[in-house]
Amino acid sequence: MTVTELLPTLKNLSRADKLRIMQFLVLELAKEEDALLQPGATYTVWSPYNSHEAAHKLAELLKEDKGTNNA
């Protein structure tokens, strides 16, 4: 069954049934997300801490913006 065929059926469901469908879909999506993360694996997470180059660039952009607004 395609989404196009499914949508009219979903539209006719009661509010409680729509909520059950939502709960089912959210749980299915969560299961898929869990499959993307491997136990014991290391994942890189970017952080702005100790990013001096980014801080310098931001300071430059703020100075430029301040100069433009005062003109």
Side-chain angles (χ1 to χ4, degrees), residues 22-37:
M22 285 176 44
Q23 183 180 20
F24 168 78
L25 291 173
V26 168
L27 290 172
E28 288 297 305
L29 288 169
K31 287 178 192 174
E32 290 177 15
E33 290 294 320
D34 286 342
L36 297 175
L37 299 175

Side-chain angles (χ1 to χ4, degrees), residues 2-37:
T2 66
V3 173
T4 307
E5 297 168 334
L6 190 58
L7 289 177
T9 304
L10 291 172
K11 200 171 191 174
N12 291 327
L13 292 176
S14 68
R15 185 173 190 275
D17 285 341
K18 288 176 183 175
L19 288 170
R20 280 191 214 109
I21 296 293
M22 285 176 44
Q23 183 180 20
F24 168 78
L25 291 173
V26 168
L27 290 172
E28 288 297 305
L29 288 169
K31 287 178 192 174
E32 290 177 15
E33 290 294 320
D34 286 342
L36 297 175
L37 299 175

Side-chain angles (χ1 to χ4, degrees), residues 54-70:
H56 179 69
K57 182 65 178 176
L58 180 59
E60 287 178 356
L61 291 170
L62 288 171
K63 282 182 188 175
E64 288 175 20
D65 186 56
K66 195 173 189 179
T68 304
N69 287 338
N70 287 338

